[in-house]
Amino acid sequence: MAVAASVSRATAARALSHHGYVGDETATRVQEAADRLGYRANRVAQALRSGQLPIAGFIPGDIQNPFFAGIAHDLEVELRKHGHNLLIASSGDNAAQERELLESLRALGLCGFVLTPASAASSQHIAKLARDGVPCVLIDRVAKGARCDSIVVDNVGGARAAVDYLVANGHRRIGFLRDDSQIFTAQERLAGYLRALTGHGIVPEKQLIARSRSVVEHAIAATTRLFRRRNKPTALFTVDSLMTQGALLGLRAMGLQVPHDVSLIGFDDFSLATFTDPQITVVAQPTAEIGALAARLLIERLAGDMADPQHIRFPTQLIVRGSVSCPPAR
Amino acid sequence: MAVAASVSRATAARALSHHGYVGDETATRVQEAADRLGYRANRVAQALRSGQLPIAGFIPGDIQNPFFAGIAHDLEVELRKHGHNLLIASSGDNAAQERELLESLRALGLCGFVLTPASAASSQHIAKLARDGVPCVLIDRVAKGARCDSIVVDNVGGARAAVDYLVANGHRRIGFLRDDSQIFTAQERLAGYLRALTGHGIVPEKQLIARSRSVVEHAIAATTRLFRRRNKPTALFTVDSLMTQGALLGLRAMGLQVPHDVSLIGFDDFSLATFTDPQITVVAQPTAEIGALAARLLIERLAGDMADPQHIRFPTQLIVRGSVSCPPAR
DNA sequence: ATGAAAGCGCTAACAT
DNA sequence: ATGTTAGCGCTTTCAT
């Protein structure tokens, strides 16, 4: 390539990267030669020199969850504008796998990460990442002790709003369907649920809280368990859209009608919610903003921004549809 | 690292990669030193030497489409077993963007690709990829002239089965909602639709075929246009799940009931289909097999398999639920 | 304004 | 069985 333009490799590199002094005429000559030959700098070689591949890593719990798929898309679009690509590796909400993934991807020289920590507690690996100066933004969940940017939503407030609304409709036995993991959001949402109940003078009951993996099939089983008991809840609050789906299916299988027999509110809006009859009342998150903002934060860090980590918390919004009514008379 | 084990860098490399002769004792010494120091080989440097990053590229139309998100997940799992990672870049079903993406990712040294060609016709870039010996498997759609493996489903047969079923239920004015692009699947599904109609002695009408981008909002508009005409169809066949969603929403907005006013069948099963009332009859694809198989084919190619390209076509299956009934009396 | 040379971290060929 | 050396393709001093 350099020889085609009859200049040294050094000059060619300067011309193409617009760095340092290059004569105008030389610059155009190099440019033309490059175009003619369809030359593209080997990014791996560049990465070896610079220590950084132009690839960011996204480590969500599960790319099949539409919430994460949407964010992945937005990240990708935004990063691409700045010449970066996106590598996606799902952790399955498993902290050990997350750590392993992170380690192997660091050896790959990725320039930064966007991740959804699988566990609020065991997050030394993330703290270390940040300590080593690898740009890293946490979304949806935070990790204790990691000095990095984070973007979350008001989980406590969202859960409270849901429970308040159920109580206002006369419910006092409100079930809570949460996922089984150490996930930060589930903990916060549980806190909001408990606080709201207490605020209304209702004593939380352990038997009304069901756990399952965040997988539709498991959520169905958990729902069934919850509603098989004699003193069943009159309403149910689910912590994410996969669990909401499971609950819907579980209730249907038991012949329980929403909202006639059971009222339902889910955390996280999802397309399915408006296709059911009745439509599902949900606590919505600003999904469209999270991915783009995360990308922007990451890009600023990549550009060398060393300011203190930013911790952003978006509000949530209760979207009232038709899945809540007054509890059935006894 | 090498010095910590007091061996040469070469020996260390041999010990860790289990290549060439290394004394047993030396091997363990190196291994220990590596563990102790938390040493991980720089994969970028390895890539520079070998010319290949251990990363495969997945270029779907849109990662937000659950069909592709599911495949992405399966690809990832399968590739990880063999030490490879997955980079995802959506083409937006735009052939130009796909070409650009492919070019920039090749410069990145990705070891292979799984892609869903945006256009059946303009696929020189894919043909070139294959010619240059880059392993590449096409899924969901094929690309003319590209010598690479492909995995598709029986689109013609699936569309026929849907139309046959509608005709068997007494429909003769059957609308077709397709996407606007050059996508191979839409063309095949259209062919199946037309052939089935002709087979039943029904003359296809151009006015019954609506086009829109494969985006819910656009599909709503297209549906509305189709059903505003005086002589509206009594049934509708949609070409993918996003269009099916759009159709559902469009019909609902017009106050048309499924299946009372309009019967509906969609291509591609999706979770929403069982949550609507009535549930939607669909042509299902073996989604769980496609990703895993694609990964396996890619891995074989990476291992040096030079055999002729394999072209695999999976059958589809009509899943009858409740969205089809006899056409309303005139 | 341009060229020469060194080196990023690794491994395969060759030498011992 | 192990060490030495060269070179993957690039960029960036440093010299001219």
Side-chain angles (χ1 to χ4, degrees), chain A residues 9-10 39 42 46 49:
Chain A
R9 305 157 39 71
Y39 170 85
N42 180 326
Q46 293 179 329
R49 272 216 55 128

Side-chain angles (χ1 to χ4, degrees), chain A:
Chain A
M1 194 319 259
V3 355
S6 43
V7 293
S8 74
R9 305 157 39 71
T11 308
R14 275 191 286 258
L16 293 177
S17 66
H18 308 291
H19 260 305
Y21 299 99
V22 186
D24 285 358
E25 190 211 340
T26 322
T28 41
R29 191 147 38 91
V30 171
Q31 194 54 259
E32 277 169 13
D35 291 348
R36 186 151 38 81
L37 275 61
Y39 170 85
R40 294 210 151 225
N42 180 326
R43 317 259 262 155
V44 175
Q46 293 179 329
L48 180 58
R49 272 216 55 128
S50 69
Q52 282 199 349
L53 229 31
I55 302 180
F58 178 40
I59 309 193
D62 177 5
I63 191 60
Q64 292 180 91
N65 185 326
F67 176 71
F68 293 131
I71 287 176
H73 177 263
D74 296 343
L75 281 173
E76 203 196 301
V77 167
E78 210 64 30
L79 287 170
R80 187 135 74 214
K81 288 181 192 160
H82 296 262
H84 290 273
N85 288 103
L86 189 66
L87 186 150
I88 300 182
S90 300
S91 72
D93 284 329
N94 175 330
Q97 189 171 348
E98 178 183 280
R99 205 194 56 234
E100 175 123 349
L101 238 25
L102 221 38
E103 213 163 297
S104 111
L105 292 178
R106 280 192 65 178
L108 243 172
L110 299 208
C111 59
F113 293 91
V114 174
L115 34 103
T116 63
S119 163
S122 74
S123 52
Q124 300 88 338
H125 53 296
I126 299 175
K128 179 155 182 298
L129 194 71
R131 231 180 301 121
D132 293 351
V134 181
C136 175
V137 2
L138 272 25
I139 61 174
D140 190 46
R141 321 164 186 171
V142 300
K144 221 175 49 191
R147 277 195 89 256
C148 37
D149 298 320
S150 69
I151 306 174
V152 298
V153 304
D154 179 12
N155 293 297
V156 174
R160 279 184 98 127
V163 173
D164 285 349
Y165 182 71
L166 288 169
V167 172
N169 276 274
H171 294 273
R172 301 194 61 86
R173 297 188 55 73
I174 300 171
F176 184 79
L177 182 53
R178 62 163 296 186
D179 63 69
D180 196 19
S181 61
Q182 295 292 310
I183 294 176
F184 166 79
T185 44
Q187 300 182 356
E188 285 207 331
R189 290 167 198 174
L190 175 62
Y193 160 83
L194 294 175
R195 225 176 284 172
L197 287 182
T198 322
H200 290 290
I202 301 172
V203 180
E205 289 177 46
K206 218 165 175 189
Q207 299 88 336
L208 293 182
I209 299 174
R211 280 174 168 252
S212 90
R213 282 182 52 204
S214 182
V215 170
V216 174
E217 290 71 22
H218 291 244
I220 294 175
T223 304
T224 312
R225 259 177 276 130
L226 197 55
F227 284 87
R228 223 186 348 232
R229 37 191 331 109
R230 282 192 306 132
N231 204 356
K232 38 166 108 38
T234 60
L236 180 62
F237 179 47
T238 51
V239 292
D240 74 30
S241 67
L242 257 19
M243 317 277 300
T244 310
Q245 265 185 64
L248 244 14
L249 256 9
L251 293 174
R252 181 203 287 177
M254 301 180 81
L256 261 19
Q257 299 263 356
V258 174
H260 181 265
D261 303 310
V262 182
S263 289
L264 179 66
I265 300 185
F267 207 110
D268 192 23
D269 195 9
F270 61 132
S271 67
L272 212 149
T274 61
F275 283 89
T276 51
D277 183 21
Q279 296 182 28
I280 312 296
T281 294
V282 297
V283 176
Q285 319 180 58
T287 45
E289 307 185 36
I290 295 175
L293 178 58
R296 236 171 300 132
L297 287 178
L298 187 62
I299 287 163
E300 276 173 28
R301 295 296 174 184
L302 289 174
D305 178 357
M306 282 304 176
D308 282 347
Q310 294 191 45
H311 299 289
I312 291 157
R313 197 180 275 271
F314 281 112
T316 56
Q317 195 196 349
L318 181 72
I319 300 183
V320 173
R321 298 203 264 243
S323 63
V324 173
S325 70
C326 298
R330 305 281 248 104

Side-chain angles (χ1 to χ4, degrees), chain B residues 82-104:
Chain B
H82 296 263
H84 291 273
N85 290 103
L86 189 65
L87 187 152
I88 300 181
S90 299
S91 72
D93 285 329
N94 175 330
Q97 188 172 347
E98 177 182 283
R99 206 193 57 236
E100 175 123 347
L101 238 26
L102 224 36
E103 215 163 297
S104 111

Side-chain angles (χ1 to χ4, degrees), chain B residues 40-64:
Chain B
R40 294 210 149 228
N42 180 326
R43 317 258 262 160
V44 175
Q46 293 180 328
L48 180 57
R49 280 220 83 212
S50 70
Q52 280 200 351
L53 231 27
I55 301 179
F58 178 40
I59 309 192
D62 176 6
I63 189 62
Q64 292 180 91

